[in-house]
Amino acid sequence: MNYDKNTIYVTGLAKTSKTDPISDIFSTFFVGVMVNSTDNKIIDFTCNTVSQKTSSFIESIIVGYNLLEDMDEIVSQIERRFLGTAQKALIVALKDAQNKYKMFKESGISS
């Protein structure tokens, strides 16, 4: 996928529980969120899950939402649809990415 000049890549991190297979492979849970900075919509998503199917499923839940305005709905959808052991880590990592993106927007660099 090609991204235009309005696309911002922001990351978020969270610790996983010791029972999560991710913790055997990675020390932290990672999300990468590609956001259109003009409307704040999530246009692409990646994360470091053990299975590509899991990453694709999570992506299908998240893409299309507004990173600044829709976090409550994103969390609700994750809690309802993603029952994996990394559920809490995913939510924390997304909120971390949201906070970094808010700081970027408030800095004025995006103008």
Side-chain angles (χ1 to χ4, degrees):
M1 176 180 245
N2 290 324
Y3 303 102
D4 69 25
K5 64 182 180 172
N6 296 318
T7 304
I8 304 298
Y9 182 83
V10 61
T11 61
L13 298 172
K15 292 187 182 221
T16 58
S17 71
K18 300 223 185 284
T19 61
D20 194 316
I22 292 171
S23 64
D24 291 338
I25 301 169
F26 308 106
S27 59
T28 57
F29 186 76
F30 162 89
V31 297
V33 185
M34 284 61 79
V35 183
N36 181 319
S37 64
T38 57
D39 63 6
N40 306 312
K41 294 276 179 148
I42 300 169
I43 58 172
D44 206 353
F45 177 86
T46 188
C47 60
N48 64 334
T49 58
V50 174
S51 164
Q52 181 57 43
K53 290 282 188 196
T54 304
S55 297
S56 295
F57 182 76
I58 295 168
E59 176 185 1
S60 75
I61 294 172
I62 294 169
V63 168
Y65 282 107
N66 183 306
L67 185 59
L68 295 180
E69 298 173 3
D70 296 337
M71 188 55 71
D72 289 342
E73 180 61 24
I74 294 169
V75 169
S76 175
Q77 288 297 313
I78 291 168
E79 289 175 342
R80 187 175 72 77
R81 298 178 61 202
F82 179 65
L83 306 180
T85 55
Q87 183 191 73
K88 288 181 184 177
L90 171 60
I91 292 167
V92 169
L94 278 169
K95 288 181 178 181
D96 183 42
Q98 181 192 44
N99 286 333
K100 289 177 185 173
Y101 185 69
K102 279 181 185 176
M103 289 174 25
F104 167 75
K105 293 291 276 190
E106 291 168 0
S107 74
I109 296 171
S110 62
S111 303

